[in-house]
Amino acid sequence: MRVLLTGAAGSIGRVLSVGLSDRGHEVVGVDVVPQPDGLDDAWHTADCADPDAVADVFEAEFAESSLDAVVHMAGHPGELSLPDSLTSHVVTTAALLDAMVGHGVRRLVYGGSNHAVGHTPRTGLPEGLLPVETRLRPDTFYGVAKAAAESLMSLYADRHGLDVVSCRIGSFRAEPATLRQLATWLSHDDCVRMVDAALTTPAPGFAVLYGISHNARGWWDLAPGRALGYDPLDDAEGWADRVEARLEDAMENAHVGGPYLAESMQRPALDRA
């Protein structure tokens, strides 16, 4: 498939650029920064929050070839004010969706987040697993924006018949470093497997999966991902003997969002001069 990858210069984007290419996809990178050294794919420097810039990217691609799908990983990875979070995660998604509809691109794979359901307590989960059907319970404005982006993609899936998969990513790291991450870790290789499955699964409509590896301590339901062809192979348990206990562990393991529930993450919705 010929895939437009947003946020291609970021930590996940770089891994996907190489990994998807290795799996036979042709990757076209987009980011607000110029192409980093070591990435040889086609490249556009553009801000996905600017719908005109996104339209220009699509026009350029379709003037020379076409696109089969978009993998949207662009966006600020942490907490901002509410307007800035919505711009980073919802406005960018809207710009891409409009361009996709205009050019007949039928599939979007989204870099969602567990923080869309981050306020969900771990206690009382059915069968001890976090289902994808749990109600949206954001833990931050970042989580609100990720939840809103999912709602927007659901609208476009219904209105325009797009295939959309939101991957609620856990802890994307080279290796897990905390007790919580022994449950929520997503390895680099499994991240590539996840996105490849979301790109190639037949007719998913609107679907959600949890982006974690096959962790022995995992408590997020992997069945929805497996139904889409995502079979994670890595396990954080291999690093368990290197992870030291911390005072924060109890708080971080009480809710889905972990450290995003800390008081230090709380801030007013709107920045004031």
Side-chain angles (χ1 to χ4, degrees):
M1 299 177 73
R2 196 161 191 267
V3 178
L4 186 72
L5 172 63
T6 74
S11 58
I12 295 179
R14 292 186 189 219
V15 168
L16 290 176
S17 291
V18 176
L20 292 178
S21 295
D22 288 346
R23 286 176 172 255
H25 300 285
E26 182 180 352
V27 176
V28 178
V30 180
D31 210 303
V32 294
V33 299
Q35 186 172 26
D37 293 338
L39 295 182
D40 300 323
D41 303 316
W43 192 269
H44 298 273
T45 302
D47 184 354
C48 290
D50 180 349
D52 291 331
V54 171
D56 288 344
V57 169
F58 274 72
E59 290 292 342
E61 285 303 311
F62 277 83
E64 299 293 332
S65 181
S66 64
L67 295 169
D68 300 303
V70 174
V71 175
H72 183 22
M73 296 289 166
H76 191 281
E79 182 70 333
L80 300 169
S81 70
L82 179 59
D84 287 342
S85 292
L86 293 174
T87 297
S88 184
H89 302 290
V90 183
V91 172
T92 59
T93 304
L96 290 163
L97 287 167
D98 282 345
M100 289 173 61
V101 170
H103 289 81
V105 181
R106 309 301 301 168
R107 184 165 303 220
L108 174 65
V109 179
Y110 182 61
S113 174
N114 69 96
H115 298 293
V117 292
H119 245 297
T120 307
R122 183 173 179 181
T123 57
L125 291 173
E127 300 181 0
L129 291 176
L130 176 69
V132 295
E133 299 84 5
T134 190
R135 77 170 173 90
L136 294 172
R137 298 184 68 172
D139 51 26
T140 48
F141 301 126
Y142 171 77
V144 167
K146 288 295 189 181
E150 283 193 4
S151 295
L152 180 64
M153 292 183 293
S154 178
L155 170 65
Y156 273 65
D158 289 337
R159 179 179 287 175
H160 299 287
L162 301 185
D163 287 315
V164 177
V165 180
S166 181
C167 305
R168 290 179 183 164
I169 295 170
S171 305
F172 177 80
R173 302 176 58 93
E175 60 184 64
T178 68
L179 183 62
R180 175 178 179 268
Q181 290 170 13
L182 293 176
T184 64
W185 181 57
L186 176 64
S187 73
H188 288 188
D189 287 344
D190 278 338
C191 184
V192 175
R193 294 182 186 104
M194 174 186 71
V195 173
D196 181 53
L199 284 169
T200 58
T201 189
F206 176 78
V208 176
L209 62 81
Y210 285 120
I212 63 171
S213 289
H214 184 51
N215 303 319
R217 305 190 194 198
W219 47 277
W220 301 1
D221 190 2
L222 289 173
R226 289 198 172 99
L228 299 173
Y230 171 46
D231 292 309
L233 300 179
D234 297 326
D235 186 348
E237 202 64 21
W239 283 267
D241 59 352
R242 306 182 196 177
V243 175
E244 298 182 359
R246 301 174 305 138
L247 293 176
E248 302 93 336
D249 286 339
M251 181 277 292
E252 290 186 1
N253 283 280
H255 292 79
V256 174
Y260 277 46
L261 273 293
E263 187 175 350
S264 60
M265 294 295 290
Q266 299 178 20
R267 58 179 294 170
L270 305 175
D271 289 331
R272 299 176 61 190

